[in-house]
Structure formats: structure tokens, C-alpha cells
Amino acid sequence: MSLTTPSTVRPLPQVTWGRVRQSRRTADRIMKVTAAGFTFLAIFVLFWILGMLVVKGLGGLSAATFTQITPGPGSEGGGLANAIVGSMVLTFLGIAVATPIGVLAGTYLAEYGKGSKLADLIRFINDILLSAPSILIGLFVYVIMVEPLGGYSGWAGGVALGIIAIPVIVRTTEDMLRLVPGPLREAGSALGAPPSVVITSITWRAAKSGMVTGILLALARIAGETAPLIFTALNNNFWFSPNLLGGVSNLPVTIYQFASAPYENWQQLAWAGSLIITVSILVLSIIARRIVRGGK
Amino acid sequence: MAAVTDQMAPGAHVARKTPKGTFDIVFRNASFLSALFVLVLLAGIMLSMVIGGWPAFREMGLGFLTSSVWDTQNDQYGALPAIVGTLSTALIALVIGVPLSLGIAVYLTQLAPPWFKQPVSTAIELLAAVPSIIYGMWGLFVFVPLWAAYVQVPLSNIIEGMPIIGTVLYSRSPSGLGILTAGIILAFMIIPFIASIVRDMLDQIPSVLRESAYGIGATTWEVVRHVLVPQAGVSIIGAVMLGLGRALGETMAVTFVVGNANRLSASIMDPGSTIASRIANEFNEALGLQLNALIALGCILFFVTFVVLVIARILVARVKAF
């Protein structure tokens, strides 16, 4: 039976099968070529952007870029020293605001709030804040800080960047703490350690590299943010005052203002700044990815 | 012996417990308050937009949504061109970006050789790490001149006078800037977000399903079309909505290439503006009612993206559970 069936059945399907197969194969091939083509298009755009930055940015890079301050309208030369330092100050201010809040909130969601409705709601809202437009956060900080305090300041810029960083840190902290196996916590509790001690000296320690990754990712996310700074820290062409009041120079807004300006040295500095900022961010994200992969 | 420890233990415990107990309570409350802060943030953003924009809403009434006048001299403001610009750039970004993202996700999960998968994945994710302003620079200085010379000018010559296409794709001043240009740049900015979520979804689908489809002789295309897409269906829509949320609020890149003109045009090749680009452009010079009008624009953007993101998260979360 099993031997005879194929031999009697075989000829019939082969006729129809063969005809269908051609069109199915064509459809399959078209899909494969399209999918591969789309992927290479996206990678091509990435390398196009990076290539453009290297070609146009390297020309503008020199020692002066790192030692001199941004030039005024029409003046010669100049560098980006104040913008680079300002950007670092604002970014670290943002991370300093966001890290304690983000880590503690992520800890609450992962450790204390398990199964509670409120924690679910907070997690949901956090995910929404994660993709909320950064320009709205800039406007928000303008309304609550810049307008009442009577002027642009580095503090407002740092707070705006911090608010953008918080959801990133909350999310990664929670995800990383959830990966810590439960028996580890139980062992700590069995020794008589209260929950706070279990969390700080056992769970956090076990999830440390993942939590650091979250902070690095947040750093990479806010380092290039431009829109929120336009409404908060603004920019200026001088060294900012140490109390961070008034405009604080920073790379993204400098690039924005210099890129389409009529002065050639401004445009060159915009390209140099773009190269510096993009390379730093890409390096940060790659390091963060390495830590995650090494940890697993 | 046992009695001694029984007597000792409670006393020792109480003596030690007090400092640790306070730390425990402080720590618990600190983390609870930090978590609550996330809620306060969202509520604060919503409130500040509504309150900051209120004078403009009150002054213009419903006309704020339907008028296309933006006259700083006479303090008359209408949001229609910016709203239409925001929606049309985001829509164009989706039309271009979604097929690209799906193709990339399919390539990464089904077609790429294993050694190639990781570097390509990383490259796609790095597209998301490139700051918005860099996309703006690339768009304005590299893409726009090419677009004007090789697409807008020849295309306008061909289609001039044709019905419908002759209007929608005709550029009166082929500068390269415009709604369509902004949509194209946005498409590349949302690709990494959509592609990586869809990739994760496709990876989660049990491989038994795929293998059994291959087992009955399905081609890769048929497996994708009839097994993987129906399985991941809802979450793909969620990922697309997430991309839409990004595209609606994207600021710097759009500001560079959209042309920043306050007009409603029938052609997607013409310059326009979006809510975000309008705010970024005018905010630092705005005073009085203009400032309120800009914040009111932000308020509209907030509610539109909020709704889109809520739907997106619900759809994405539903499938993550399976």
C-alpha cells in the first residue's frame, strides 16, 4: 500500500505542482531580494551619514576646536571649547538628576510593587514617557522653571535632560532587577536582612552591570538632545558663568545655530561639533551594548 | 541554654532593629515616591501644556484648530497648517518606513546568515542612536540638494499639467525642502524603532510553528505571510503606532528640511511646517499671546501623541505576554 500509493499518485500532482511552484518561487525570491535590499538601504544610509560627518567634520577639527570658545558673528577662527564643556555639564547634571530617581523607581516596580495595580499603571506611564516627544519636555521645563525663575539657565537644561533620562533608567533598572533570581533574595531574607538591605547589597549588586548599561544608554540618549535645550539652557558664545544662570553654551544648540549661518567658520564648527557628538554617542551606545552582551 | 537564648534574642533584636528599621522605611518610601514621580511628571506635562496654552485657546476658541492664519502682528493664530503638516509628514514616514522596517525585521530573523545577524542588528540600532539634529544636517546639506536636482525638477517637468499627480507632486519652487522631504528623513529615523520591535516579536514566535510550515513545503515568503505575520499581527500594528508617536513629535530633523512655511498646499513637494518645527523655530522670539499659542500647539501635540502611544503600548504589551 505504502509503496503503490506514491507511484500512482505521483504523476498527477507533479503537473499542477510544477506550475504553481514557479510562481511561488518567484514570489519567494522577490520577497528575499526586497528584504535584503531594504536592510542594505538602511545600513547604506547609516554609513552615508557617518561618511558625511567624517568628510566634512574632520576638515573643521583642529586643536583650536578644543581650546578656543565659539566665535561671535563675523569674527575669525574660534573653537567649541565652551560648548563641549557646557554639554558635558548639562549632560552630567541630567544624569545626576535622573539616576537616583530612576534607579529607585525601577527598584520599586521590580521589588515592592509586584502585582500591584499602581505599579502596573506607573510602568505603563513610564513606557509612554519613554517615547514622548522631547520638545514637550522642553516646553514643560520652560513653563515650570524658566518662566517662574525669570531666565534661561543650565539648571533648567539639566532638569529637562534628566526628565528625558528618567524613563530610560526606570525601564532598564526594572528589567535588570527582574533577571535576578528569586532564591538570591530569599537567601538574604533568611539571614535576617530587611528588604532594603537585601535590595541594596544583594539584588543591586547582582544587577549592577545591567543598571550601569541603563545609565549609559540614558547618557547616550540625552547627549545629543537639542529641542529641549532650546527652551531651557539656550546657548551663548562665551564661557558660561559657574552658577549656570543665563544661557549655557552647548554643542547641539550651537550646531543648530551655526549650521545654516552665513559664516564659513561657523559652518565648519557645526560640522566638527556634529562629528564629535555623533562619535561620542555611538561609542557610548556600543560600550553599553558590549556590557549587556558580556553580562549575559 | 535554650531559655537564655530565648531571653537574649528579643532584646538584641530590638536594639539592633531600630536603625535598620528606619533605613528600611526610608528606603521603601523613597523608592515609592520616585515611582510616583513618574506619574507626577506625566500629569505635570499635561497640566503645564493646558495652562500655558489656555490664553490662546480662550482667545481663538475653536478657530485655533481650524484657522490657518498665523499673524504675529495682529495676534491671530491658527494651528491648521501645522496640524496638517504634522499628520502628513508622519503619514509619509509610515508609508515609506513601515515596509522598510518589516523587510529589515524579516531579513534579520529569517534570511541573514547567523554571523551576519549581529553586526546588521547593531547597525540598525545605531540608526536610532544618531541624534535628530544630525539627521537634520544630513537632510539639509546632502539629501535636499540631490532631491531638488534629481527628483523635484525632472518630476515636475514630466507631470506638469497632469490631473491629480500634477498637483500633488508638483513643486512650484524646487528647493528640495518640503513635506515629502521631511517624511523621507523621518522614515529613516523611525525604522530602527519599528524594525527592532518587530524583530523581537518574530524571534519570540515558537519555531515549531515555522518548522511545521516549512515541513509541509511552504516557501520562506509563505511562512512569513501566512504564519509569522498573523502570529505577530497586533504587535506589528503596535510597533507601527510607536513609530508614529516618534514621527509626530520629531523636532530638529524636521525643522531643518520642512521649509517652515505657514501654508496649506495641495502638493507634498511644497514647504510646510509641523507643530514641533513651528515651536522650535519661533519660541525664542515669541512674546505674549504668540508664546501661549505655541504652548497650545504643544498641548495639541501632547494629546495626539499620548493617544497614539497609549494604543501602541496596549497592542505591543498584549503580544509580549504570549
Side-chain angles (χ1 to χ4, degrees):
Chain A
M1 190 63 191
S2 63
L3 271 175
T4 50
T5 315
S7 58
T8 50
V9 171
R10 196 182 291 147
L12 251 179
Q14 257 190 350
V15 177
T16 47
W17 194 237
R19 204 176 282 161
V20 177
R21 179 174 276 166
Q22 196 48 50
S23 69
R24 291 174 61 201
R25 270 193 180 164
T26 316
D28 190 48
R29 205 160 290 160
I30 290 174
M31 184 277 281
K32 280 179 174 160
V33 170
T34 315
F38 285 176
T39 311
F40 287 107
L41 176 64
I43 295 174
F44 173 71
V45 167
L46 176 70
F47 282 101
W48 192 358
I49 293 173
L50 296 182
M52 166 200 79
L53 288 176
V54 170
V55 168
K56 298 205 172 186
L58 276 185
L61 269 188
S62 64
T65 314
F66 297 96
T67 53
Q68 294 182 18
I69 65 165
T70 44
S75 55
E76 290 288 304
L80 294 166
N82 54 339
I84 293 172
V85 176
S87 258
M88 285 181 178
V89 169
L90 292 178
T91 309
F92 284 106
L93 207 58
I95 286 295
V97 170
T99 302
I101 298 176
V103 166
L104 284 174
T107 306
Y108 177 81
L109 294 183
E111 304 287 329
Y112 292 114
K114 261 182 205 158
S116 89
K117 284 253 162 63
L118 181 66
D120 288 343
L121 176 69
I122 292 172
R123 190 173 301 121
F124 188 78
I125 296 296
N126 188 67
D127 278 351
I128 285 175
L129 280 178
L130 200 60
S131 7
S134 59
I135 190 171
L136 292 180
I137 292 170
L139 280 182
F140 169 60
V141 175
Y142 178 86
V143 172
I144 61 159
M145 274 184 82
V146 178
E147 213 170 29
L149 299 180
Y152 298 103
S153 71
W155 302 107
V159 167
L161 294 181
I163 293 176
I164 295 169
I166 285 174
V168 182
I169 299 180
V170 172
R171 181 67 190 271
T172 41
T173 304
E174 193 200 348
D175 286 351
M176 293 304 151
L177 291 180
R178 278 175 184 279
L179 291 178
V180 176
L184 222 55
R185 298 187 184 91
E186 287 160 18
S189 299
L191 291 174
S196 58
V197 176
V198 172
I199 291 168
T200 47
S201 37
I202 298 175
T203 328
W204 278 6
R205 201 169 286 179
K208 199 166 70 188
S209 69
M211 288 160 70
V212 171
T213 306
I215 296 169
L216 284 181
L217 285 177
L219 201 61
R221 169 86 202 271
I222 62 176
E225 279 292 350
T226 316
L229 294 181
I230 296 178
F231 315 120
T232 51
L234 201 59
N235 195 12
N236 72 33
N237 278 344
F238 309 100
W239 280 107
F240 45 90
S241 64
N243 62 12
L244 296 184
L245 295 178
V248 171
S249 48
N250 59 81
L251 267 181
V253 181
T254 304
I255 296 172
Y256 174 53
Q257 290 174 343
F258 280 18
S260 34
Y263 313 110
E264 203 178 316
N265 60 333
W266 278 26
Q267 291 169 11
Q268 283 221 325
L269 286 173
W271 285 112
S274 305
L275 180 65
I276 295 171
I277 213 164
T278 311
V279 167
S280 338
I281 289 172
L282 292 188
V283 167
L284 264 177
S285 344
I286 290 172
I287 292 174
R289 258 163 253 278
R290 278 278 154 79
I291 295 177
V292 170
R293 234 176 287 148
K296 276 178 186 168
Chain B
M1 192 62 192
V4 174
T5 37
D6 268 354
Q7 276 179 342
M8 294 279 293
H13 201 65
V14 168
R16 259 199 338 195
K17 204 183 173 181
T18 334
K20 266 192 186 165
T22 29
F23 177 67
D24 211 41
I25 291 164
V26 168
F27 186 80
R28 198 200 154 94
N29 287 333
S31 31
F32 179 64
L33 288 177
S34 301
L36 270 191
F37 185 70
V38 172
L39 290 187
V40 173
L41 267 184
L42 188 84
I45 294 172
M46 193 188 310
L47 271 181
S48 67
M49 293 296 126
V50 171
I51 294 172
W54 187 248
F57 284 127
R58 196 185 47 208
E59 203 73 21
M60 309 297 150
L62 264 184
F64 187 70
L65 294 176
T66 54
S67 155
S68 52
V69 184
W70 192 270
D71 185 351
T72 49
Q73 301 298 317
N74 301 314
D75 259 354
Q76 288 299 311
Y77 303 101
L80 192 63
I83 295 174
V84 171
T86 305
L87 296 179
S88 46
T89 49
L91 193 71
I92 293 169
L94 288 188
V95 168
I96 300 168
V98 169
L100 281 167
S101 315
L102 295 183
I104 292 167
V106 167
Y107 179 81
L108 283 176
T109 53
Q110 316 296 322
L111 306 174
W115 60 270
F116 200 47
K117 205 175 154 174
Q118 193 59 56
V120 173
S121 261
T122 310
I124 300 293
E125 281 168 23
L126 286 185
L127 266 180
V130 174
S132 169
I133 190 162
I134 305 299
Y135 278 100
M137 301 273 285
W138 175 70
L140 182 60
F141 295 106
V142 178
F143 187 80
V144 161
L146 294 175
W147 185 251
Y150 295 106
V151 177
Q152 282 192 332
V153 173
L155 191 68
S156 294
N157 289 338
I158 295 169
I159 62 168
E160 192 172 2
M162 284 187 190
I164 304 173
I165 306 177
T167 318
V168 174
L169 291 176
Y170 182 71
S171 36
R172 265 173 292 179
S173 52
S175 60
L177 304 170
I179 298 281
L180 181 58
T181 317
I184 294 171
I185 307 284
L186 279 176
F188 284 101
M189 301 183 69
I190 63 172
I191 280 173
F193 295 99
I194 304 180
S196 58
I197 296 175
V198 175
R199 179 200 61 199
D200 292 347
M201 295 296 166
L202 294 183
D203 269 340
Q204 273 182 26
I205 293 172
S207 49
V208 181
L209 287 177
R210 214 169 56 216
E211 283 156 12
S212 39
Y214 279 122
I216 58 168
T219 61
T220 310
W221 163 242
E222 287 159 350
V223 172
V224 170
R225 169 73 187 75
H226 298 290
V227 178
L228 299 183
V229 169
Q231 276 293 318
V234 191
S235 68
I236 291 179
I237 299 172
V240 170
M241 299 286 277
L242 220 54
L244 177 62
R246 289 266 166 193
L248 288 170
E250 195 44 65
T251 311
M252 299 320 295
V254 174
T255 310
F256 270 91
V257 299
V258 78
N260 300 311
N262 180 57
R263 64 163 174 235
L264 282 172
S265 171
S267 168
I268 54 174
M269 291 288 191
D270 278 344
S273 61
T274 69
I275 291 179
S277 75
R278 172 73 53 81
I279 299 172
N281 243 317
E282 298 187 3
F283 197 83
N284 292 130
E285 279 91 44
L287 290 166
L289 195 61
Q290 190 188 358
L291 196 65
N292 295 121
L294 290 174
I295 299 177
L297 279 180
C299 185
I300 297 172
L301 178 64
F302 175 86
F303 283 106
V304 173
T305 45
F306 183 75
V307 170
V308 167
L309 291 175
V310 165
I311 298 173
R313 288 294 171 187
I314 291 174
L315 294 181
V316 170
R318 190 184 289 172
V319 176
K320 267 197 177 153
F322 95 96

